Amino acid sequence: MATIKRQEIAACLRAPRENWLVLDAVDSTNTNLKYLALEGAGDGTVLIANEQSAGRGRLGRSFQSKGGLGVYLSVLWRPQVPPQDLMALPALGAVAACRAVERVCGIEVQIKWPNDLVCRGKKLGGILTELVSDPNRGAAVIMGIGINVCHRQRDFDGEVADIASSLEAECGKPVSRSALAAALMEELDLLRADALETPQRWLEEYRGRCMTVGREVQLLSGEERRQAFALGVDDQYGLTVREADGTVQTVRAGEVSVRGMYGYAP
Ligand code: BTN
């Protein structure tokens, strides 16, 4: 298994950066960073792991995180803003991740609402954003990004194999996990510095990248599946849909999951 080393990532950074750790194996970088947050880790701390034994995804799902194949990275932020201003962060994290992937691999990456990274209809990775309530220091946010980099199709287990792909499979050449980890840190730093100041610009980029809009989708909520057509993304990053009976409504991340009508992301 190829492990990425701190000095390899450092060599890929455009400028030296403090506050980041690389561990070989963890259960979940989000969980570990949460413990570090409660011990007082500072704003902008990043944790990168080679492997996760219990990588977590949105909506209680797991995220396959085999050693040496992907980039598994979490960042801790302590923004001094009202909680409603944090609602956009998961979507914005997807924009930052798309930018990082494009910088390193030169392939175009889109976003399946709300924040899956997609290329040619296959999932390349995803984002899990969690709030930590820290009684001593106020609320903190942990954003975890997982990206499939070197996987071949046989590296994915179970039904994930039908919907997932990796950067190397999509761009047909070797991709440096160290370069991607460095680019992710830099794009997340830019997001932290810029997005709360210029939210409209980030919203426009999100809308431009969101491949869900203009497609037939299935809204999954528990056991229920409803057919709808995705009309657009509202200013709070909700997905506005027209249901089969003509009703127009906006659904929020966390309430429903969206699938393409003919697979993961047609
Ligand atoms: C999803 O696809 O539903 C989100 C996947 C998020 C995976 C990343 S990997 C780094 C961080 N640690 C975790 O346990 N999950 C996130």
Side-chain angles (χ1 to χ4, degrees), residues 25-29 31-32 35 51-56 65:
V26 296
D27 51 1
S28 150
T29 54
T31 308
N32 271 254
Y35 295 136
E51 176 174 6
Q52 299 185 116
S53 56
R56 295 186 287 111
S65 312

Side-chain angles (χ1 to χ4, degrees), residues 27-31 52 54-59 61-63 65 71-74 115-116 123 125-128 143-147:
D27 51 1
S28 150
T29 54
N30 269 31
T31 308
Q52 299 185 116
R56 295 186 287 111
R58 292 177 54 247
L59 307 171
R61 299 181 184 130
S62 62
F63 184 78
S65 312
V71 169
Y72 317 114
L73 178 152
S74 299
N115 55 12
D116 280 352
K123 177 167 171 168
I127 296 177
L128 175 65
M143 182 183 292
I145 300 181
I147 301 181

Side-chain angles (χ1 to χ4, degrees), residues 164-239:
S165 187
S166 71
L167 296 182
E168 290 196 348
E170 293 309 317
C171 66
K173 59 180 188 204
V175 174
S176 159
R177 289 158 60 235
S178 298
L180 181 61
L184 277 172
M185 267 196 281
E186 289 171 347
E187 294 297 339
L188 288 168
D189 287 346
L190 181 67
L191 163 64
R192 172 74 173 93
D194 189 46
L196 296 173
E197 308 297 322
T198 60
Q200 196 59 32
R201 211 168 58 205
W202 286 75
L203 177 61
E204 290 314 321
E205 183 169 344
Y206 180 89
R207 284 179 172 144
R209 291 183 181 277
C210 184
M211 47 78 64
T212 308
V213 172
R215 293 174 191 263
E216 295 285 338
V217 294
Q218 286 185 343
L219 306 178
L220 314 179
S221 175
E223 293 300 300
E224 193 192 10
R225 276 171 190 247
R226 294 179 343 256
Q227 189 174 327
F229 182 80
L231 296 169
V233 172
D234 79 356
D235 290 355
Q236 283 76 46
Y237 294 85
L239 185 68

Side-chain angles (χ1 to χ4, degrees), residues 36-260:
L36 295 178
L38 294 172
E39 287 167 10
D43 186 46
T45 304
V46 167
L47 176 58
I48 300 164
N50 268 293
E51 176 174 6
Q52 299 185 116
S53 56
R56 295 186 287 111
R58 292 177 54 247
L59 307 171
R61 299 181 184 130
S62 62
F63 184 78
Q64 293 182 19
S65 312
K66 287 186 183 161
L69 295 180
V71 169
Y72 317 114
L73 178 152
S74 299
V75 62
L76 165 71
W77 287 322
R78 298 185 182 278
Q80 305 294 313
V81 297
Q84 64 269 21
D85 289 5
L86 302 176
M87 300 291 283
L89 274 182
L92 296 179
V95 173
C98 288
R99 290 178 177 185
V101 169
E102 289 176 1
R103 240 171 77 186
V104 171
C105 310
I107 56 170
E108 195 189 333
V109 186
Q110 293 181 297
I111 299 169
K112 175 178 161 290
W113 184 88
N115 55 12
D116 280 352
L117 308 182
V118 172
C119 184
R120 296 195 296 181
K122 295 275 187 171
K123 177 167 171 168
L124 295 173
I127 296 177
L128 175 65
T129 308
E130 298 179 293
L131 276 180
V132 181
S133 93
D134 181 342
N136 300 318
R137 298 165 197 86
V141 180
I142 292 177
M143 182 183 292
I145 300 181
I147 301 181
N148 308 324
V149 181
C150 310
H151 302 63
R152 288 149 303 174
Q153 224 46 43
R154 63 174 178 268
D155 293 318
F156 297 108
D157 298 330
E159 60 188 25
V160 171
D162 299 332
I163 63 169
S165 187
S166 71
L167 296 182
E168 290 196 348
E170 293 309 317
C171 66
K173 59 180 188 204
V175 174
S176 159
R177 289 158 60 235
S178 298
L180 181 61
L184 277 172
M185 267 196 281
E186 289 171 347
E187 294 297 339
L188 288 168
D189 287 346
L190 181 67
L191 163 64
R192 172 74 173 93
D194 189 46
L196 296 173
E197 308 297 322
T198 60
Q200 196 59 32
R201 211 168 58 205
W202 286 75
L203 177 61
E204 290 314 321
E205 183 169 344
Y206 180 89
R207 284 179 172 144
R209 291 183 181 277
C210 184
M211 47 78 64
T212 308
V213 172
R215 293 174 191 263
E216 295 285 338
V217 294
Q218 286 185 343
L219 306 178
L220 314 179
S221 175
E223 293 300 300
E224 193 192 10
R225 276 171 190 247
R226 294 179 343 256
Q227 189 174 327
F229 182 80
L231 296 169
V233 172
D234 79 356
D235 290 355
Q236 283 76 46
Y237 294 85
L239 185 68
T240 303
V241 296
R242 187 177 52 237
E243 297 208 42
D245 65 0
T247 318
V248 173
Q249 61 155 329
T250 300
V251 295
R252 304 278 158 207
E255 290 171 2
V256 296
S257 161
V258 163
R259 277 280 162 102

